[in-house]
Amino acid sequence: MVKDTKLYDILGVKTDANEKELKKAYFDLSKKWHPDRNPPEKKEECTKKFQEISEAYEILSDPEKRQRYDTGGDPFSQFGGGQNFGFGDIMDAFFGGGGSNRGPRARMRAGQDALIRVELDLAEACFGTDRELNLETAATCEKCSGSGCATGSKPSVCGICKGRGETQQVTRSIIGQVMTSRPCAACQGYGSVISDPCLECSGDGRVRSRKVIPVKIPVGVETGNRIQMSGAGEVGPGGGPAGDLYVEIVEAPHDFLVREGNNLHISIVIPMTSAALGTKVKVETLDGPQEVTIKSGFVSGNTVILKDLGMSKLRGNGRGDLIVHVEVTTPGKLNKEQEELLKSLAKSRGEKGEDVEIHRRGSTHSAGFFGRFRDAFNR
Ligand SMILES: [Zn+2]
Ligand SMILES: [Zn+2]
């Protein structure tokens, strides 16, 4: 018969290892593989390994069990094969974890906060709006008013833990006898048992339900702003107080208005003749169509600022501006008549094809590259 040495292999010791060697191997490996000491993504692997190590040590550190294992027997036979060495216990004993003073848990607990995102268009974000949120949430069970018990019944004291909500267990470990407390499995730590649960909520005291919650969106909100609605979140287990609901604003992009803080930007294109002669054009804004005056001799790339037609400011009053970026197009694909007209215009203005003027830095009519350059310097 081939001797089974698996447990020795797990601890990485020889089959004749003494107590001290076993203990050292166990200590070192436990430290190395402890799930709390390793990255979360390795938790599953570590937990399995840690459990293997603990079980191997549990058997090999006990002379009687070790002998039975060495001779091919069941190391736990003396205990009727029923003793279960709890993984949690060794963790508690070894690393000082494990809760004491737990006592029974309250059935009634506070509900969770909830977050819902609401998409607004730019006008709604600017002027505020009223919305109705239709959401699924946990509500108090009306049948049992949150108690979780069938009508006329009450929870009874747990027979296993006698209402303490926890059970004690004495385990042997390398540091001697250790008393560990753990939540009572029979009552999940509540200390009481609902033997006749409400059929509507299966004893949870709450049910899923759809709710319509009105929410007032204030003026001037922007993406990422959150509106807190106290008590509009999920009702807690056992009919506990509801958490809060957070309404997070998400601003939908506008077709032609671009937001930059409290200012808005719009970009328009006008023909060269309008730019030369000056004109009035209408642009669409959040406040409806607005007249924009283009002065004669308007230079492409310059802006016209419409005061107070930007976004509303969230706190305090007032609004940002609407900045109109004006691009001037140069006519192409001229017919004969248009060509003649432009030629006579050039002639009338004394402009020749070879005319060139070099922009000087700081020149006032230069809104192009040097204009921007100048602005950057004067800031
Ligand atoms: Zn119990
Ligand atoms: Zn119920």
Side-chain angles (χ1 to χ4, degrees), residues 361-373:
R361 201 182 276 177
S363 114
T364 47
H365 72 281
S366 145
F369 170 70
F370 279 123
R372 263 170 252 143
F373 207 55

Side-chain angles (χ1 to χ4, degrees), residues 141-149 198-207:
C141 173
E142 284 177 8
K143 183 110 182 168
C144 63
S145 309
S147 73
C149 302
C198 167
L199 293 176
E200 197 68 30
C201 63
S202 312
D204 189 39
R206 50 187 189 160
V207 288

Side-chain angles (χ1 to χ4, degrees), residues 2-3 30 40 50 144 175 188 195 266 275 278 294 309-310 332 352 365 370 376-377:
V2 180
K3 197 176 162 192
S30 301
F50 190 86
C144 63
I175 53 170
Q188 283 99 48
S195 40
I266 188 171
I294 306 290
L309 288 179
K352 293 196 191 75
H365 72 281
F370 279 123
F377 271 104

Side-chain angles (χ1 to χ4, degrees), residues 279-283 285 288-294 304 306 309:
T279 186
K280 286 186 195 304
V281 295
K282 283 233 161 70
V283 298
T285 75
Q290 297 287 322
E291 201 170 71
V292 178
T293 304
I294 306 290
V304 180
L306 302 182
L309 288 179

Side-chain angles (χ1 to χ4, degrees), residues 341-354:
L341 282 168
L342 280 176
K343 276 181 180 165
S344 45
L345 172 66
K347 193 177 169 197
S348 157
R349 290 178 60 84
E351 292 167 351
K352 293 196 191 75
E354 63 268 23

Side-chain angles (χ1 to χ4, degrees), residues 158-163 165-167 184-193:
C158 174
I160 303 298
C161 64
K162 311 279 183 258
E166 55 183 25
T167 48
C184 171
C187 62
Q188 283 99 48
Y190 292 122
S192 62
V193 181

